[in-house]
Amino acid sequence: METVIAITWLARIGLVVAILAGCVWASISFIKPNSSSVSLRESLLCSVKKRSRTLLPFTVAVLSAVVLVPLAGFNGQTDKAVTTALDVFLIILTGWAGTMGVYVLSDLIQCQYDITEKDNFSARQAHTKVKVLQRILVVLIWFLTLAGILMLFERFRMFGGALFASAGVVSIVLGFSAQKTFGAMIAGIQIALSHPINLDDVVIVEGEWGRIEEIKLTYVVVKTWDLRRIVVPVTYFLETPFQNWTKKSADIIGSVFIHADYTVPVGLLREELNRLCKQFQPLWDGKTCVLQITDAGPETITLRAIMSSPDASSAWDLRCKVREGLVQYMQENYPDSLPRRRIAMESGIPARPE
């Protein structure tokens, strides 16, 4: 009998060790092939050290108890209570180890994708997918952990059977009460897989320009240019039309409108625009730099300058600099071409009627 108990406890210890080893192996297997062994080792050690600060002492305590308790020789109800308590701690340890494994895996994957780069489309996709799936896996792990703990107690197993017997009524109540919540969670999974938005995407939401800062299971946080945060439900990006300026790539075309007199030398102004674009590189990516007359009103004409930039922030800065440069060029060289209002005066004065 003692041999069977010892084998059972050794099997449980092996299960915990196998889970920990599996988490480490999964973390390594998901790393990009071109990663150097030094950076991989450093990233792995850093992540494991950060995530296991509280897990390691708890693991040592539980495994020590698993080894020492059978040697204490408890009998009867005491042995049953101690065994149940150790089973609970082992289940918690297993869930905790699984959670830490998910976090280590997500850390190692994210460290291989630099989201601070200019062209970070692939990195934003990877970070978005990892963040959403990480939260789903953690919730699933602890749900299974709680279910495993409850199954250790006979009274809760009977209670679970009663719940299953009344599953029809419970499912209807939960279905109505949690409809929006489950819908939002499904929408979060859909966003993680279809990528209508990614982390650090530039979007226009409710008329506001901003970047996707966080993607949760049920909501998304948009950081605006003036450091405000707009929190919208995740279903917004599946049900409402919105602008995504970095869906396929970060490059974008910006425009500047200038109103001028009909006497303005458009050709010389076009040459000045080309000079300004070259001067303000790398805000200008060298692809598009065009000046056109887009409207001719009764008193002035409208000139539109369009310039391409590698990202939205660079486009904003380039627009401001080009607008300032064109206005200054006209002020210094062609002040008469600035918008003017003409009034024609007749020389003769009509005679007053008798």
Side-chain angles (χ1 to χ4, degrees):
M1 185 66 180
E2 294 179 354
T3 304
V4 175
I5 295 176
I7 293 174
T8 302
W9 285 112
L10 288 175
R12 293 171 178 174
I13 296 173
L15 176 63
V16 175
V17 174
I19 292 175
L20 292 173
C23 292
V24 175
W25 175 84
S27 302
I28 297 175
S29 64
F30 273 87
I31 301 301
K32 294 191 296 184
N34 59 351
S35 301
S36 64
S37 58
V38 176
S39 62
L40 172 61
R41 183 167 60 252
E42 292 177 352
S43 301
L44 178 60
L45 292 176
C46 180
S47 179
V48 171
K49 181 179 179 181
K50 179 177 67 174
R51 300 295 183 183
S52 61
R53 289 177 180 174
T54 54
L55 175 62
L56 186 59
F58 184 74
T59 303
V60 173
V62 172
L63 296 183
S64 300
V66 168
V67 174
L68 297 177
V69 164
L71 303 178
F74 294 112
N75 296 317
Q77 294 295 328
T78 303
D79 181 69
K80 184 178 180 181
V82 172
T83 302
T84 303
L86 287 178
D87 286 337
V88 170
F89 286 127
L90 275 174
I91 293 175
I92 294 176
L93 178 60
T94 304
W96 199 346
T99 303
M100 293 301 103
V102 171
Y103 282 129
V104 170
L105 174 61
S106 63
D107 289 342
L108 290 182
I109 293 177
Q110 291 181 66
C111 75
Q112 304 302 312
Y113 296 91
D114 188 5
I115 201 171
T116 61
E117 295 179 351
K118 289 289 185 181
D119 189 7
N120 58 358
F121 179 69
S122 299
R124 289 186 286 109
Q125 274 196 335
H127 279 248
T128 301
K129 188 175 297 184
V130 168
K131 286 290 186 183
V132 175
L133 295 181
Q134 169 190 307
R135 293 184 175 93
I136 295 174
L137 288 176
V138 169
V139 171
L140 180 61
I141 287 172
W142 284 105
F143 178 80
L144 295 176
T145 301
L146 179 60
I149 293 174
L150 293 178
M151 292 300 293
L152 294 176
F153 302 95
E154 185 68 28
R155 65 176 63 183
F156 288 106
R157 275 185 282 182
M158 296 176 60
F159 177 70
L163 286 179
F164 281 120
S166 59
V169 177
V170 173
S171 61
I172 294 175
V173 175
L174 291 178
F176 280 107
S177 60
Q179 181 179 2
K180 291 185 177 181
T181 302
F182 288 128
M185 293 179 64
I186 294 174
I189 297 175
Q190 185 175 350
I191 283 179
L193 297 178
S194 60
H195 298 289
I197 56 173
N198 294 292
L199 288 174
D200 205 40
D201 265 347
V202 177
V203 295
I204 303 294
V205 175
E206 299 295 319
E208 297 281 356
W209 184 97
R211 293 181 179 271
I212 302 295
E213 184 178 40
E214 296 182 33
I215 301 178
K216 303 293 186 179
L217 279 178
T218 56
Y219 66 91
V220 176
V221 179
V222 179
K223 181 180 179 181
T224 62
W225 64 273
D226 54 356
L227 304 183
R228 291 179 293 119
R229 268 68 174 180
I230 302 177
V231 181
V232 294
V234 70
T235 54
Y236 176 92
F237 295 95
L238 298 177
E239 300 173 353
T240 306
F242 67 96
Q243 297 183 38
N244 189 338
W245 290 10
T246 53
K247 180 65 175 71
K248 294 296 183 181
S249 62
D251 55 338
I252 193 172
I253 292 179
S255 59
V256 170
F257 290 92
I258 300 291
H259 297 279
D261 190 73
Y262 274 83
T263 60
V264 64
V266 179
L268 296 177
L269 206 61
R270 186 174 291 116
E271 294 178 1
E272 177 65 14
L273 173 64
N274 292 327
R275 188 191 67 82
L276 291 173
C277 287
K278 294 177 182 179
Q279 176 184 345
F280 296 135
Q281 286 180 321
L283 296 179
W284 179 58
D285 60 7
K287 295 179 181 179
T288 304
C289 183
V290 178
L291 180 69
Q292 297 172 320
I293 299 177
T294 58
D295 191 20
E299 297 179 350
T300 60
I301 60 174
T302 302
L303 304 173
R304 185 184 68 173
I306 56 176
M307 306 79 60
S308 57
S309 295
D311 55 73
S313 298
S314 299
W316 173 263
D317 293 336
L318 181 61
R319 289 171 60 197
C320 294
K321 291 178 179 296
V322 166
R323 185 184 295 111
E324 179 180 348
L326 291 178
V327 171
Q328 183 177 357
Y329 176 79
M330 292 176 62
Q331 289 175 341
E332 294 176 353
N333 298 278
Y334 304 99
D336 293 338
S337 296
L338 295 173
R340 295 185 299 172
R341 174 167 295 181
R342 296 179 174 85
I343 300 177
M345 302 293 295
E346 294 183 2
S347 58
I349 299 178
R352 298 177 63 182
E354 295 294 337

